[in-house]
Amino acid sequence: MTSIGTGYDLSNSVFSPDGRNFQVEYAVKAVENGGTAVGIRCKDGVVIALEKLVTSKLMKPNANKRIATVDRHIGVVSSGLVPDGRHFVVRARAEAAEWRKIYKAPIPVHSLADRVGQYVQAHTLYSSVRPFGITAIVGGWDSETEVPVDGQVGSGPSTGAGGKKEGGKHGGPFLYMIEPSGLFWGYYGAATGKGRQTAKSELEKLDLAAGTLTLEQGVKEAARIIYVAHEDSKDKEFELEMTWISSLSGPTKGRHEEVPKEIREEAERLAKKSLDDDDDDEEEEKKDDKMEE
Amino acid sequence: MNHFPQAWGRPRDDIYGHYNSSYLQTANPTQHTQSPVVTGTSVVAIKYKDGVVIAADNLASYGSLARFTDVKRLRKFNSSTVLGFGGDVSDMQYLDRLLNDLDVKENYSHADDEASQLSANNLHTYLSKVMYKRRTDFNPLWNHILVAGISSESEPFLASVDLLGTTFSSPSLATGYGAHLAQPIMRKLVPDEEAVKGISKEQAVDVVKECMKVLFYRDARSMDGYSIAVISKEGIEIKENEKLENQSWQFAERIRGYGTQVN
């Protein structure tokens, strides 16, 4: 059933007779045109990468960052309507700050994804608002060691269990993707935006579920995937924006930071090289075909 | 019906009427802190040629009772600043959380480079405004704070702000009892800014340790376990479980009224 002219797509809070919410589906269309964003959950951290399309040559290179930091340990990138993404980040930061006020500790990545997910979903319920025109990727690292409570002054009792269980697994890398409907799942690798199909098939090749990919490899793969996904819109210029969150013993010490320039440029160089190699292979194949003829 | 997001999930005013908040108010007038409750005593700090040394003991007193003995009153802010808190411990915790929030917000702008970080003098200015605002509201934060670190000009920085919002800067500073007992000892070493240039880290650490010892001898609200931090361009070196060394209580023998000898 088409949505055009039926009237079921005019309001958010209205279902079509076959159980669809067209406003949400249109929001998904807005995402499909945005620059590709990718998140990879590695064994010792998370990488977030974005194909930032250059909309004007008059804008300063490497300024106007699109990957945002929430609290200290979480990064958010979105694809779709940029202002909607900004509002999403504002809300995420407010939720993280509110969590700290109550629990005096950093918000776990899952709790943040849950709360912003609820917020996005609420925008599909009311006729007074429109859904978010973005799909957001939320990546972060929950501390694997005990973190002091904010404002803690002493060390507490030195005897007794203190409510802690020995040998429990705590913290680690987390990656979530939140869609305009408010739906969110945890992922090993997530991709959204224009080049998501290409990016997803590349991510599947990495066998991320095995949990063997290191953060350093992840950075190189993320850069390569963005370059591969860009192939279809080669005429447009883009900048690669990349951030990471490592374990406490890794390069960012559990914080969300920009990937250092040298490492990013090296990853870009390798990405370009692998693209060139692929082109060469294709040409060789063509030659082989001709020879066979 | 109000469809705006702020009304989501709330009872509708047009059906249930406005929320009646009158019962939340008490009959009594608002009261503010008249005196601190759990307190920390002196903080001492001195500049040397490449940085600042700061120390405070690990005691939080409940009146004259030595209530908590593992309280860390030196708080690291970022990679270039340490704050030393004298006075009310709960107000210190409030300020610690306030500054933690500030640090999180600073972090939003991808400012990874050191130059764009808040420096010690920025932090001192910020704190002085918080303290002055609160005293103007007749609701002071009951602390005397020393800010020790590296300034925006990469120079050693040391300044204080108290519960009235008064700010002061000097080559050496001490709060509470330390202002009377430790300050003269440190001033002998660094009478002015010029003298700071001739002071090594070891000299500064030694004089601070000496001050902590004198304070333990004569301040009844002090303790022999203390924290000491050295802040320089290389970073922050903080030791939180130090013990006073080479104590000698021989001088006490000559004090009338000490021990069993009453007069």
Side-chain angles (χ1 to χ4, degrees):
Chain A
M1 182 177 159
T2 175
S3 55
I4 314 288
T6 56
Y8 292 114
D9 63 346
L10 297 178
S11 174
N12 228 339
S13 51
V14 172
F15 275 119
S16 81
D18 50 353
R20 292 159 65 185
N21 187 335
F22 288 116
Q23 278 299 316
V24 172
E25 291 182 21
Y26 299 161
V28 173
K29 294 270 182 243
V31 176
E32 288 171 4
N33 295 320
T36 314
V38 167
I40 303 178
R41 181 178 177 274
C42 310
K43 71 170 178 185
D44 52 351
V46 180
V47 196
I48 298 171
L50 171 72
E51 170 206 25
K52 187 167 73 186
L53 297 166
V54 177
T55 47
S56 163
K57 282 201 161 61
L58 295 174
M59 290 204 288
K60 190 182 167 197
N62 296 317
N64 305 310
K65 297 290 183 204
R66 284 268 310 279
I67 307 180
T69 307
V70 172
D71 207 300
R72 292 191 179 102
H73 62 303
I74 298 174
V76 172
V77 66
S78 62
S79 191
L81 303 182
V82 177
D84 284 25
R86 291 260 175 83
H87 180 67
F88 181 90
V89 168
V90 167
R91 180 68 185 202
R93 285 172 176 170
E95 290 288 357
E98 193 60 32
W99 182 280
R100 259 191 200 273
K101 268 215 180 81
I102 296 167
Y103 301 107
K104 310 280 182 255
I107 189 169
V109 187
H110 176 270
S111 303
L112 182 88
D114 190 16
R115 284 176 169 216
V116 286
Q118 299 254 15
Y119 186 64
V120 170
Q121 191 268 343
H123 283 79
T124 68
L125 297 173
Y126 300 88
S127 57
S128 53
V129 289
R130 63 172 175 76
F132 276 78
I134 57 158
T135 288
I137 294 174
V138 175
W141 182 275
D142 288 344
S143 175
E144 67 272 42
T145 62
E146 197 170 332
V147 276
V149 173
D150 291 354
Q152 179 177 317
V153 293
S155 44
S158 53
T159 54
K164 288 185 282 286
K165 196 179 135 211
E166 283 293 320
K169 192 196 172 290
H170 299 285
F174 291 93
L175 182 69
Y176 296 93
M177 185 158 76
I178 301 156
E179 294 169 27
S181 61
L183 172 88
F184 75 93
W185 298 116
Y187 289 88
Y188 288 118
T192 178
K194 204 176 193 119
R196 68 197 174 287
Q197 294 300 356
T198 324
K200 275 179 192 166
S201 64
E202 289 294 322
L203 284 167
E204 279 165 18
K205 287 180 203 162
L206 295 177
D207 188 24
L208 293 164
T212 51
L213 193 79
T214 63
L215 191 57
E216 273 72 21
Q217 290 169 316
V219 166
K220 285 171 189 154
E221 292 298 344
R224 190 181 61 78
I225 290 169
I226 292 291
Y227 269 87
V228 173
H230 182 71
E231 285 291 278
D232 298 331
S233 43
K234 239 179 172 173
D235 49 319
K236 284 185 196 146
E237 266 186 68
F238 82 104
E239 273 174 21
L240 175 68
E241 203 178 313
M242 209 157 42
T243 63
W244 60 359
I245 312 106
S246 80
S247 64
L248 294 186
S249 53
T252 79
K253 300 181 176 60
R255 293 168 68 98
H256 174 245
E257 283 173 6
E258 214 172 306
V259 175
K261 195 161 165 263
E262 311 80 61
I263 300 179
R264 193 197 69 219
E265 281 173 353
E266 171 64 8
E268 282 186 271
R269 191 185 64 77
L270 291 172
K272 284 176 193 158
K273 189 164 167 284
S274 89
L275 281 185
D276 290 346
D277 290 352
D278 285 354
D279 288 349
D280 292 348
D281 290 350
E282 274 167 37
E283 274 164 34
E284 271 169 36
E285 273 167 35
K286 275 179 200 162
K287 268 183 205 163
D288 291 347
D289 290 347
K290 272 180 192 164
M291 279 166 76
E292 273 168 34
E293 281 165 23
Chain B
M1 186 183 155
N2 178 4
H3 288 273
F4 290 117
Q6 58 268 34
W8 295 351
R10 292 177 189 281
R12 283 169 59 181
D13 284 356
D14 54 340
I15 293 174
Y16 300 98
H18 282 288
Y19 183 71
N20 177 10
S21 58
S22 64
Y23 78 96
L24 290 170
Q25 276 143 28
T26 57
N28 302 321
T30 318
Q31 288 196 343
H32 292 151
T33 315
Q34 300 296 308
S35 60
V37 182
V38 178
T39 58
T41 183
S42 323
V43 184
V44 298
I46 187 170
K47 281 202 248 184
Y48 70 95
K49 63 176 171 16
D50 305 314
V52 193
V53 179
I54 184 169
D57 68 22
N58 293 347
L59 179 69
S61 308
Y62 182 76
S64 60
L65 172 73
R67 180 68 184 82
F68 303 105
T69 53
D70 65 342
V71 171
K72 310 294 185 279
R73 296 192 291 125
L74 297 185
R75 321 289 296 181
K76 194 175 150 211
F77 179 66
N78 52 26
S79 59
S80 67
T81 312
V82 170
L83 305 171
F85 286 85
D88 195 277
V89 171
S90 58
D91 284 351
M92 170 180 88
Q93 289 180 302
Y94 167 79
L95 282 167
D96 196 44
R97 287 171 188 149
L98 184 78
L99 294 175
N100 189 37
D101 272 4
L102 182 70
D103 189 46
V104 167
K105 288 189 183 109
E106 279 296 304
N107 194 29
Y108 289 161
S109 50
H110 282 279
D112 298 331
D113 54 319
E114 299 268 318
S116 52
Q117 246 187 28
L118 281 178
S119 60
N121 52 317
N122 297 149
L123 203 62
H124 178 251
T125 308
Y126 181 86
L127 272 176
S128 71
K129 295 194 180 219
V130 172
M131 300 299 272
Y132 179 70
K133 198 269 177 189
R134 289 293 295 262
R135 85 100 215 212
T136 308
D137 291 346
F138 280 80
N139 189 20
L141 291 162
W142 222 285
N143 296 107
H144 193 158
I145 307 160
L146 297 190
V147 182
I150 302 297
S151 72
S152 322
E153 280 76 43
S154 297
E155 293 292 323
F157 178 86
L158 176 60
S160 80
V161 55
D162 67 5
L163 71 166
L164 302 174
T166 315
T167 60
F168 193 75
S169 186
S170 150
S172 65
L173 281 172
T175 74
Y177 238 117
H180 303 93
L181 296 174
Q183 191 64 282
I185 302 171
M186 292 190 289
R187 267 197 200 139
K188 225 188 292 175
L189 191 69
V190 281
D192 49 32
E193 283 292 339
E194 201 52 44
V196 171
K197 296 193 182 97
I199 304 297
S200 70
K201 177 180 152 188
E202 288 69 31
Q203 276 176 297
V205 169
D206 286 347
V207 77
V208 163
K209 284 184 175 173
E210 185 61 27
C211 288
M212 293 309 289
K213 197 155 71 180
V214 168
L215 283 166
F216 179 55
Y217 287 154
R218 321 221 75 130
D219 178 0
R221 305 285 167 271
S222 69
M223 201 182 74
D224 56 350
Y226 66 101
S227 308
I228 186 165
V230 181
I231 308 103
S232 67
K233 269 170 246 170
E234 279 70 55
I236 297 171
E237 224 182 291
I238 188 160
K239 285 182 252 171
E240 291 186 318
N241 287 305
E242 295 295 283
K243 270 269 181 289
L244 289 177
E245 290 160 357
N246 305 320
Q247 288 178 46
S248 164
W249 287 84
Q250 269 185 335
F251 73 93
E253 299 293 324
R254 286 177 280 118
I255 298 175
R256 284 167 68 93
Y258 176 76
T260 49
Q261 177 204 340
V262 194
N263 43 22

